[in-house]
Amino acid sequence: MFTKIAKTCLFCLVIISGGLGCTAKNVDLSTMQRPARAPALDAFDVFVGDWTWEAEMVNAASDDKSWTGTSSWSWTLDKRCLLGKMSAKCKSASFSSEGIWSWHPKKHQYIWWMFNDWGYPQQGRAKFNEACNCWCMDYESVGLDGTNSFGRYIVTIKDNDTLDWNMTEWADPFHTVTKMELKGTYKRRK
């Protein structure tokens, strides 16, 4: 009998305390202020514009070593996000991608997402190294082969109109099994 009463009392306490904790408080939006734009976002300025690119896939069959494409990047959402589109093709394959790059205000890091017309996503974090004028963009994705991939883009800003880049993608998070490697250059379209 005591156990049944104790269980009932405990149940009532949980419901009452849960109800008190779940009560919505009034939100006063007049006390909230839009934060200033993160100055770190200015590092994306170099990407804004229209580009053509060429690359060599180091470990591809000879017919598919040469890749070409285009990309366009523009600011959106009050210059808090960089919105991009990219196309890529070789002799045997092609795909288009769209994505967004931004700055995480709480983690204080660059973040980005890309999605392609094969249905495969990429998401990652990026670091900008001012000393070498280069970006390191680590990511996780579904690779073109349909399996989990772990990759890294290195983009070096040669000048305002030229970006050298390489991409390596691995089958494992420890980077022991290389799936593909590309090296190329972006040239600004004028």
PDB file of all heavy atoms in Angstrom, residues 44 47-51 71-77 79 81-85 99-101:
ATOM      1  N   PHE A  44      35.975  36.151 -46.754  1.00  0.00           N
ATOM      2  CA  PHE A  44      35.297  35.525 -47.895  1.00  0.00           C
ATOM      3  C   PHE A  44      35.233  36.434 -49.122  1.00  0.00           C
ATOM      4  O   PHE A  44      34.900  35.982 -50.209  1.00  0.00           O
ATOM      5  CB  PHE A  44      33.859  35.132 -47.529  1.00  0.00           C
ATOM      6  CG  PHE A  44      33.722  33.921 -46.658  1.00  0.00           C
ATOM      7  CD1 PHE A  44      32.680  33.846 -45.748  1.00  0.00           C
ATOM      8  CD2 PHE A  44      34.590  32.840 -46.743  1.00  0.00           C
ATOM      9  CE1 PHE A  44      32.501  32.727 -44.943  1.00  0.00           C
ATOM     10  CE2 PHE A  44      34.432  31.720 -45.945  1.00  0.00           C
ATOM     11  CZ  PHE A  44      33.381  31.663 -45.039  1.00  0.00           C
ATOM     12  N   PHE A  47      36.332  35.460 -52.729  1.00  0.00           N
ATOM     13  CA  PHE A  47      35.600  34.460 -53.513  1.00  0.00           C
ATOM     14  C   PHE A  47      34.457  35.060 -54.336  1.00  0.00           C
ATOM     15  O   PHE A  47      33.999  34.438 -55.294  1.00  0.00           O
ATOM     16  CB  PHE A  47      35.027  33.371 -52.603  1.00  0.00           C
ATOM     17  CG  PHE A  47      36.080  32.560 -51.907  1.00  0.00           C
ATOM     18  CD1 PHE A  47      36.310  32.711 -50.553  1.00  0.00           C
ATOM     19  CD2 PHE A  47      36.853  31.654 -52.611  1.00  0.00           C
ATOM     20  CE1 PHE A  47      37.277  31.965 -49.909  1.00  0.00           C
ATOM     21  CE2 PHE A  47      37.828  30.902 -51.980  1.00  0.00           C
ATOM     22  CZ  PHE A  47      38.049  31.060 -50.622  1.00  0.00           C
ATOM     23  N   VAL A  48      33.989  36.237 -53.959  1.00  0.00           N
ATOM     24  CA  VAL A  48      32.828  36.838 -54.613  1.00  0.00           C
ATOM     25  C   VAL A  48      33.122  37.080 -56.089  1.00  0.00           C
ATOM     26  O   VAL A  48      34.146  37.659 -56.441  1.00  0.00           O
ATOM     27  CB  VAL A  48      32.408  38.147 -53.917  1.00  0.00           C
ATOM     28  CG1 VAL A  48      31.306  38.850 -54.691  1.00  0.00           C
ATOM     29  CG2 VAL A  48      31.966  37.856 -52.482  1.00  0.00           C
ATOM     30  N   GLY A  49      32.237  36.585 -56.945  1.00  0.00           N
ATOM     31  CA  GLY A  49      32.383  36.776 -58.380  1.00  0.00           C
ATOM     32  C   GLY A  49      32.179  35.478 -59.140  1.00  0.00           C
ATOM     33  O   GLY A  49      31.705  34.481 -58.593  1.00  0.00           O
ATOM     34  N   ASP A  50      32.538  35.514 -60.414  1.00  0.00           N
ATOM     35  CA  ASP A  50      32.363  34.373 -61.312  1.00  0.00           C
ATOM     36  C   ASP A  50      33.741  33.822 -61.682  1.00  0.00           C
ATOM     37  O   ASP A  50      34.658  34.580 -61.997  1.00  0.00           O
ATOM     38  CB  ASP A  50      31.621  34.812 -62.575  1.00  0.00           C
ATOM     39  CG  ASP A  50      30.230  35.329 -62.261  1.00  0.00           C
ATOM     40  OD1 ASP A  50      29.560  34.743 -61.394  1.00  0.00           O
ATOM     41  OD2 ASP A  50      29.818  36.332 -62.878  1.00  0.00           O
ATOM     42  N   TRP A  51      33.836  32.495 -61.688  1.00  0.00           N
ATOM     43  CA  TRP A  51      35.118  31.824 -61.871  1.00  0.00           C
ATOM     44  C   TRP A  51      35.003  30.678 -62.877  1.00  0.00           C
ATOM     45  O   TRP A  51      33.949  30.081 -63.024  1.00  0.00           O
ATOM     46  CB  TRP A  51      35.592  31.227 -60.546  1.00  0.00           C
ATOM     47  CG  TRP A  51      35.762  32.224 -59.445  1.00  0.00           C
ATOM     48  CD1 TRP A  51      34.790  32.719 -58.624  1.00  0.00           C
ATOM     49  CD2 TRP A  51      36.976  32.836 -59.033  1.00  0.00           C
ATOM     50  NE1 TRP A  51      35.324  33.607 -57.729  1.00  0.00           N
ATOM     51  CE2 TRP A  51      36.675  33.697 -57.955  1.00  0.00           C
ATOM     52  CE3 TRP A  51      38.293  32.745 -59.475  1.00  0.00           C
ATOM     53  CZ2 TRP A  51      37.646  34.458 -57.319  1.00  0.00           C
ATOM     54  CZ3 TRP A  51      39.265  33.502 -58.831  1.00  0.00           C
ATOM     55  CH2 TRP A  51      38.934  34.350 -57.762  1.00  0.00           C
ATOM     56  N   SER A  71      32.191  28.454 -61.295  1.00  0.00           N
ATOM     57  CA  SER A  71      31.564  28.716 -60.003  1.00  0.00           C
ATOM     58  C   SER A  71      31.224  30.193 -59.905  1.00  0.00           C
ATOM     59  O   SER A  71      31.835  31.024 -60.585  1.00  0.00           O
ATOM     60  CB  SER A  71      32.458  28.288 -58.839  1.00  0.00           C
ATOM     61  OG  SER A  71      33.582  29.110 -58.749  1.00  0.00           O
ATOM     62  N   SER A  72      30.241  30.491 -59.095  1.00  0.00           N
ATOM     63  CA  SER A  72      29.828  31.870 -58.811  1.00  0.00           C
ATOM     64  C   SER A  72      29.514  31.974 -57.332  1.00  0.00           C
ATOM     65  O   SER A  72      28.825  31.103 -56.777  1.00  0.00           O
ATOM     66  CB  SER A  72      28.571  32.241 -59.600  1.00  0.00           C
ATOM     67  OG  SER A  72      28.843  32.303 -60.967  1.00  0.00           O
ATOM     68  N   TRP A  73      30.019  33.027 -56.710  1.00  0.00           N
ATOM     69  CA  TRP A  73      29.785  33.264 -55.291  1.00  0.00           C
ATOM     70  C   TRP A  73      29.308  34.693 -55.100  1.00  0.00           C
ATOM     71  O   TRP A  73      29.837  35.617 -55.718  1.00  0.00           O
ATOM     72  CB  TRP A  73      31.065  33.027 -54.489  1.00  0.00           C
ATOM     73  CG  TRP A  73      31.463  31.590 -54.493  1.00  0.00           C
ATOM     74  CD1 TRP A  73      32.320  30.977 -55.368  1.00  0.00           C
ATOM     75  CD2 TRP A  73      30.968  30.575 -53.624  1.00  0.00           C
ATOM     76  NE1 TRP A  73      32.395  29.635 -55.072  1.00  0.00           N
ATOM     77  CE2 TRP A  73      31.591  29.363 -54.008  1.00  0.00           C
ATOM     78  CE3 TRP A  73      30.081  30.565 -52.552  1.00  0.00           C
ATOM     79  CZ2 TRP A  73      31.341  28.163 -53.361  1.00  0.00           C
ATOM     80  CZ3 TRP A  73      29.841  29.379 -51.900  1.00  0.00           C
ATOM     81  CH2 TRP A  73      30.463  28.197 -52.308  1.00  0.00           C
ATOM     82  N   SER A  74      28.301  34.865 -54.222  1.00  0.00           N
ATOM     83  CA  SER A  74      27.776  36.203 -53.931  1.00  0.00           C
ATOM     84  C   SER A  74      27.317  36.246 -52.480  1.00  0.00           C
ATOM     85  O   SER A  74      26.967  35.224 -51.878  1.00  0.00           O
ATOM     86  CB  SER A  74      26.617  36.547 -54.869  1.00  0.00           C
ATOM     87  OG  SER A  74      25.559  35.618 -54.695  1.00  0.00           O
ATOM     88  N   TRP A  75      27.324  37.447 -51.937  1.00  0.00           N
ATOM     89  CA  TRP A  75      26.850  37.632 -50.568  1.00  0.00           C
ATOM     90  C   TRP A  75      25.329  37.557 -50.520  1.00  0.00           C
ATOM     91  O   TRP A  75      24.645  37.964 -51.455  1.00  0.00           O
ATOM     92  CB  TRP A  75      27.292  38.993 -50.029  1.00  0.00           C
ATOM     93  CG  TRP A  75      28.739  39.052 -49.668  1.00  0.00           C
ATOM     94  CD1 TRP A  75      29.711  39.765 -50.299  1.00  0.00           C
ATOM     95  CD2 TRP A  75      29.367  38.382 -48.591  1.00  0.00           C
ATOM     96  NE1 TRP A  75      30.912  39.570 -49.678  1.00  0.00           N
ATOM     97  CE2 TRP A  75      30.736  38.723 -48.614  1.00  0.00           C
ATOM     98  CE3 TRP A  75      28.920  37.509 -47.581  1.00  0.00           C
ATOM     99  CZ2 TRP A  75      31.654  38.231 -47.698  1.00  0.00           C
ATOM    100  CZ3 TRP A  75      29.838  37.016 -46.663  1.00  0.00           C
ATOM    101  CH2 TRP A  75      31.181  37.379 -46.722  1.00  0.00           C
ATOM    102  N   THR A  76      24.818  37.058 -49.407  1.00  0.00           N
ATOM    103  CA  THR A  76      23.385  37.033 -49.144  1.00  0.00           C
ATOM    104  C   THR A  76      23.168  37.271 -47.650  1.00  0.00           C
ATOM    105  O   THR A  76      24.127  37.235 -46.864  1.00  0.00           O
ATOM    106  CB  THR A  76      22.749  35.698 -49.605  1.00  0.00           C
ATOM    107  OG1 THR A  76      21.321  35.793 -49.495  1.00  0.00           O
ATOM    108  CG2 THR A  76      23.247  34.524 -48.795  1.00  0.00           C
ATOM    109  N   LEU A  77      21.937  37.501 -47.273  1.00  0.00           N
ATOM    110  CA  LEU A  77      21.564  37.695 -45.868  1.00  0.00           C
ATOM    111  C   LEU A  77      22.419  38.769 -45.200  1.00  0.00           C
ATOM    112  O   LEU A  77      23.050  38.546 -44.173  1.00  0.00           O
ATOM    113  CB  LEU A  77      21.627  36.374 -45.096  1.00  0.00           C
ATOM    114  CG  LEU A  77      20.708  35.278 -45.641  1.00  0.00           C
ATOM    115  CD1 LEU A  77      20.946  33.967 -44.905  1.00  0.00           C
ATOM    116  CD2 LEU A  77      19.249  35.693 -45.552  1.00  0.00           C
ATOM    117  N   LYS A  79      25.208  40.165 -46.079  1.00  0.00           N
ATOM    118  CA  LYS A  79      26.634  39.838 -46.100  1.00  0.00           C
ATOM    119  C   LYS A  79      27.062  39.003 -44.886  1.00  0.00           C
ATOM    120  O   LYS A  79      28.178  39.105 -44.409  1.00  0.00           O
ATOM    121  CB  LYS A  79      27.488  41.100 -46.195  1.00  0.00           C
ATOM    122  CG  LYS A  79      27.404  41.776 -47.554  1.00  0.00           C
ATOM    123  CD  LYS A  79      28.353  42.934 -47.687  1.00  0.00           C
ATOM    124  CE  LYS A  79      29.749  42.407 -47.908  1.00  0.00           C
ATOM    125  NZ  LYS A  79      30.732  43.443 -48.184  1.00  0.00           N
ATOM    126  N   CYS A  81      26.345  35.565 -45.102  1.00  0.00           N
ATOM    127  CA  CYS A  81      26.518  34.241 -45.713  1.00  0.00           C
ATOM    128  C   CYS A  81      26.964  34.407 -47.154  1.00  0.00           C
ATOM    129  O   CYS A  81      26.505  35.313 -47.851  1.00  0.00           O
ATOM    130  CB  CYS A  81      25.202  33.454 -45.696  1.00  0.00           C
ATOM    131  SG  CYS A  81      24.610  33.065 -44.055  1.00  0.00           S
ATOM    132  N   LEU A  82      27.843  33.528 -47.583  1.00  0.00           N
ATOM    133  CA  LEU A  82      28.291  33.499 -48.968  1.00  0.00           C
ATOM    134  C   LEU A  82      27.558  32.367 -49.663  1.00  0.00           C
ATOM    135  O   LEU A  82      27.614  31.219 -49.226  1.00  0.00           O
ATOM    136  CB  LEU A  82      29.803  33.275 -49.008  1.00  0.00           C
ATOM    137  CG  LEU A  82      30.514  33.578 -50.302  1.00  0.00           C
ATOM    138  CD1 LEU A  82      30.370  35.051 -50.679  1.00  0.00           C
ATOM    139  CD2 LEU A  82      31.989  33.218 -50.182  1.00  0.00           C
ATOM    140  N   LEU A  83      26.847  32.699 -50.728  1.00  0.00           N
ATOM    141  CA  LEU A  83      26.035  31.738 -51.467  1.00  0.00           C
ATOM    142  C   LEU A  83      26.750  31.401 -52.764  1.00  0.00           C
ATOM    143  O   LEU A  83      27.201  32.287 -53.476  1.00  0.00           O
ATOM    144  CB  LEU A  83      24.667  32.362 -51.760  1.00  0.00           C
ATOM    145  CG  LEU A  83      23.635  31.522 -52.468  1.00  0.00           C
ATOM    146  CD1 LEU A  83      23.219  30.340 -51.603  1.00  0.00           C
ATOM    147  CD2 LEU A  83      22.412  32.384 -52.780  1.00  0.00           C
ATOM    148  N   GLY A  84      26.873  30.096 -53.059  1.00  0.00           N
ATOM    149  CA  GLY A  84      27.628  29.713 -54.237  1.00  0.00           C
ATOM    150  C   GLY A  84      26.988  28.633 -55.069  1.00  0.00           C
ATOM    151  O   GLY A  84      26.169  27.848 -54.591  1.00  0.00           O
ATOM    152  N   LYS A  85      27.395  28.615 -56.352  1.00  0.00           N
ATOM    153  CA  LYS A  85      26.986  27.571 -57.301  1.00  0.00           C
ATOM    154  C   LYS A  85      28.243  27.111 -58.014  1.00  0.00           C
ATOM    155  O   LYS A  85      29.117  27.930 -58.321  1.00  0.00           O
ATOM    156  CB  LYS A  85      26.000  28.109 -58.333  1.00  0.00           C
ATOM    157  CG  LYS A  85      24.676  28.507 -57.765  1.00  0.00           C
ATOM    158  CD  LYS A  85      23.749  28.984 -58.858  1.00  0.00           C
ATOM    159  CE  LYS A  85      22.386  29.327 -58.260  1.00  0.00           C
ATOM    160  NZ  LYS A  85      21.375  29.488 -59.270  1.00  0.00           N
ATOM    161  N   GLY A  99      25.847  25.852 -52.440  1.00  0.00           N
ATOM    162  CA  GLY A  99      26.194  25.826 -51.032  1.00  0.00           C
ATOM    163  C   GLY A  99      26.193  27.185 -50.391  1.00  0.00           C
ATOM    164  O   GLY A  99      25.953  28.206 -51.038  1.00  0.00           O
ATOM    165  N   ILE A 100      26.471  27.155 -49.103  1.00  0.00           N
ATOM    166  CA  ILE A 100      26.516  28.380 -48.321  1.00  0.00           C
ATOM    167  C   ILE A 100      27.655  28.276 -47.313  1.00  0.00           C
ATOM    168  O   ILE A 100      27.904  27.213 -46.750  1.00  0.00           O
ATOM    169  CB  ILE A 100      25.147  28.644 -47.643  1.00  0.00           C
ATOM    170  CG1 ILE A 100      25.056  30.066 -47.150  1.00  0.00           C
ATOM    171  CG2 ILE A 100      24.852  27.629 -46.556  1.00  0.00           C
ATOM    172  CD1 ILE A 100      23.637  30.532 -46.922  1.00  0.00           C
ATOM    173  N   TRP A 101      28.380  29.369 -47.167  1.00  0.00           N
ATOM    174  CA  TRP A 101      29.477  29.462 -46.205  1.00  0.00           C
ATOM    175  C   TRP A 101      29.139  30.596 -45.247  1.00  0.00           C
ATOM    176  O   TRP A 101      28.559  31.604 -45.634  1.00  0.00           O
ATOM    177  CB  TRP A 101      30.792  29.790 -46.883  1.00  0.00           C
ATOM    178  CG  TRP A 101      31.271  28.794 -47.888  1.00  0.00           C
ATOM    179  CD1 TRP A 101      30.724  27.580 -48.198  1.00  0.00           C
ATOM    180  CD2 TRP A 101      32.411  28.936 -48.736  1.00  0.00           C
ATOM    181  NE1 TRP A 101      31.461  26.957 -49.174  1.00  0.00           N
ATOM    182  CE2 TRP A 101      32.510  27.771 -49.532  1.00  0.00           C
ATOM    183  CE3 TRP A 101      33.377  29.916 -48.908  1.00  0.00           C
ATOM    184  CZ2 TRP A 101      33.515  27.576 -50.463  1.00  0.00           C
ATOM    185  CZ3 TRP A 101      34.376  29.724 -49.836  1.00  0.00           C
ATOM    186  CH2 TRP A 101      34.438  28.563 -50.596  1.00  0.00           C
TER     187      TRP A 101
END
